[in-house]
Amino acid sequence: MRRVRRHSRHRLWQRAVGGLTVAGMLAAGAVGTANAEEPGGAAPIPVAFTGPDSFDLSLQAGKPAEGEAQIEVGLKGPGEVDPDHEGVIPPIHQGEYTVTIDATGLEGVADVDLPCEADGLVAVCTEYELYAGDIYNQNWDIGLAPGAESEAGDTGTITVTGEGEGLEFTEHSIDVLVGGPEFRMRTLTEPEGFAAGDTFEAPLGFRNVGGVAADGVILRFAGSRGLSFPEEYGNCAYAVENEDNLIRMRHVALCAFEGTFEKGTSYEVGQPVKVRTADFALHDVFSYSFTALSPEEADRLRAGGDYRQGEGAELTLRQAKGDGEYVQYAELDFPRKNTYDLDLTGDRVKGKKGETVAVDVAMHNRGPGWIGSLRAGGEPIGFTVDIPEGATVAKAPRACGPHNIEGVEQPDSYLCWADTPMLEDSREDFAFELRIDKVVEGARGRIHLPEWDNPWEGNPANDDGWIVLNGTGDEETPGDGDSTGGTGGSGSEGKGGGDGDGKNGGEDGEGDGGSAGTSGGTSGGESADGSLASTGTTALTAGGLALLLLAAGGAAVVTVRRRRAAGAGADGTGGAAA
């Protein structure tokens, strides 16, 4: 068996982008529409392969589960997808072509699972159609696992080529390194008694569990909206990512360290990194990761981003004392000690029989904490609006739908959804129009949250609001008088109810207006700089709203939320996070 063994620098610099591994990065070849003509016909269509340039195979990895891909290779045609007038996407090429995935360079280096019913280490895949871009084209999965003869430092190459009449493929290579530097991060714990406004001194560190030493290291640490870094270091560069998306927004630092970091050895920062929490901070996300990377390659990376060089002394690394606990992804959701104040307010209106009156319902967050709902990707908060006796809903807000058993002709209860993130000192309004079918003096409709045991609700006394129709002023409206804004009236009695700046949510995990988004982190997934992988620290409690909606009565709320589109008059906003 042929063994390839070269201990040269691997193309690891790609791994540091976003603090994640290199898997899934695209290497696009030359694309563009051919406009030159060859003798005897049109120029061939250029086709590039998508997929990583390099892949690190851990010696600790097992064989992939059935159907699991570690490397995905695809095709990219020139131009962009352009559907026709019927929405059909036409191919830019029709005619048989083949793609060959040659993994003979990994013989004796790693076990390979190839697609297309491959015999041995070469797979030949046959296709017929090619589309512009890469979304609608075929892709192929390659599985890798350490073999019986795999040793740390072994390297090999997978070569991907294509052939077909009228097509010109750009050859693509994937360098595979077995048992390279592989880091685990020191776990983080929120200090006892820590509260919003305090500064956390984070003892960052890592252990090289890989098969070889690392020549240079990069540290990336990031914090969500309520976190900041009061001290700067001269060997770190700083940036703010996704400023227009409150869920994904992160304050980011990227620090370079020179030196050799041996396998089987643990290291820690020379001084804790200070993480300041804002007065409004609550379940904000801090994450960090160390990556094997040379300082020179880090400079190349920083040059491609909007980073600002830090000022001050350099942050240092030293060998750590003791073992400690290390995990693949290190995250901490904190502070847990803070509260917000959800305050529901209603309206007092007067009207005659047959009239339609405007009623303003609002949900306020009077702080001091914000409701980020970062782990849930912007899970909305549900509350119920009971319609006063004698009135019918002529028009409901988009974010509200009937909350009754199916088939009820005139719903007397509506379920509404307020977007998150919800900033401190903010409000979201829900404008109802009610038709007065029968004048009932002092008719009341309660506005209320589900009954839950919510440790972060700072003032449960104002969780209820009321709609009062044709009131005398003597009606009991418990919960209305305990808010800082109170409840006023509308129509002939005026409007009232707090202050704020309306909706605050930014975009969700996929850029969807801040109401819904991707689910919270998953253990073993990628890190929190966007996808929020769970490390078993406080990921579930950090979701906040996901926990609250599943508290007492919450299961019914979630069920109605997902079904209300089928009800009469249900016209919802962004969906709840999974």
Side-chain angles (χ1 to χ4, degrees), residues 43-363:
I45 298 173
V47 185
F49 289 103
T50 64
D53 284 333
S54 56
F55 183 82
D56 292 348
L57 178 61
S58 170
L59 280 171
Q60 304 178 43
K63 291 185 179 295
E66 185 175 351
E68 179 182 352
Q70 291 171 307
I71 297 177
E72 185 177 276
V73 175
L75 294 173
K76 185 173 184 179
E80 298 180 356
V81 172
D82 185 18
D84 63 19
H85 66 283
E86 295 181 349
V88 176
I89 299 171
I92 60 174
H93 169 84
Q94 288 183 307
E96 185 174 290
Y97 61 90
T98 59
V99 170
T100 300
I101 303 173
D102 186 344
T104 54
L106 295 183
E107 183 179 357
V109 174
D111 290 342
V112 187
D113 182 16
L114 293 176
C116 306
E117 299 180 355
D119 183 13
L121 294 176
V122 178
V124 180
C125 306
T126 303
E127 293 296 327
Y128 185 79
E129 292 181 328
L130 177 74
Y131 294 86
D134 60 355
I135 296 177
Y136 296 98
N137 286 315
Q138 180 64 40
N139 54 56
W140 298 274
D141 297 338
I142 304 172
L144 296 177
E149 298 182 6
S150 297
E151 296 181 9
D154 285 358
T155 63
T157 301
I158 300 172
T159 303
V160 187
T161 57
E163 185 176 0
E165 185 176 349
L167 302 175
E168 184 177 7
F169 292 83
T170 300
E171 181 178 304
H172 183 69
S173 296
I174 305 169
D175 293 336
V176 176
L177 171 65
V178 178
E182 186 175 348
F183 296 163
R184 295 292 182 267
M185 315 310 146
R186 176 186 286 176
T187 57
L188 298 175
T189 304
E190 181 180 5
E192 187 174 351
F194 193 91
D198 293 347
T199 296
F200 174 52
E201 296 191 353
L204 311 184
F206 70 95
R207 181 174 180 82
N208 185 358
V209 299
V212 298
D215 179 19
V217 165
I218 286 293
L219 163 64
R220 173 189 168 93
F221 55 91
S224 59
R225 175 178 176 257
L227 307 179
S228 61
F229 310 124
E231 292 185 352
E232 291 190 354
Y233 303 100
N235 57 330
C236 300
Y238 299 84
V240 179
E241 298 178 349
N242 303 310
E243 288 189 79
D244 59 348
N245 185 330
L246 291 181
I247 293 175
R248 293 181 175 269
M249 191 275 279
R250 293 293 183 270
H251 302 282
V252 177
L254 199 63
C255 310
F257 304 90
E258 297 180 353
T260 300
F261 300 89
E262 300 293 343
K263 66 176 184 178
T265 306
S266 299
Y267 299 88
E268 63 184 4
V269 290
Q271 62 186 83
V273 171
K274 293 185 178 180
V275 184
R276 178 185 293 156
T277 62
D279 291 339
F280 62 79
L282 176 62
H283 292 149
D284 278 84
V285 177
F286 175 75
S287 63
Y288 79 95
S289 61
F290 285 92
T291 307
L293 196 68
S294 72
E296 292 78 13
E297 291 164 339
D299 290 340
R300 293 175 58 190
L301 179 66
R302 285 196 295 246
D306 189 18
Y307 288 94
R308 173 185 57 81
Q309 189 63 38
E311 299 179 355
E314 291 196 351
L315 185 65
T316 60
L317 285 177
R318 64 191 179 195
Q319 188 168 333
K321 297 179 180 179
D323 293 331
E325 183 178 352
Y326 294 86
V327 293
Q328 187 170 6
Y329 301 113
E331 302 173 352
L332 180 64
D333 297 8
F334 77 116
R336 292 175 294 173
K337 189 176 180 181
N338 201 359
T339 61
Y340 46 77
D341 178 12
L342 291 179
D343 178 10
L344 290 170
T345 58
D347 231 340
R348 301 179 71 92
V349 300
K350 289 183 180 295
K352 299 178 181 179
K353 181 179 179 180
E355 288 185 345
T356 297
V357 295
V359 174
D360 184 30
V361 171
M363 173 177 280

Side-chain angles (χ1 to χ4, degrees), residues 1-41:
M1 277 190 186
R2 181 170 63 91
R3 177 175 299 282
V4 181
R5 193 181 300 279
R6 51 183 172 88
H7 295 275
S8 61
R9 283 296 303 163
H10 189 54
R11 284 184 284 180
L12 296 171
W13 64 271
Q14 293 174 316
R15 290 173 30 185
V17 177
L20 306 177
T21 60
V22 72
M25 295 190 63
L26 300 180
V31 296
T33 303
N35 51 23
E37 292 194 359
E38 295 179 342

Side-chain angles (χ1 to χ4, degrees), residues 363-383:
M363 173 177 280
H364 310 252
N365 176 17
R366 304 194 184 279
W370 77 313
I371 304 173
S373 189
L374 302 179
R375 289 293 180 186
E379 185 79 42
I381 307 172
F383 65 94

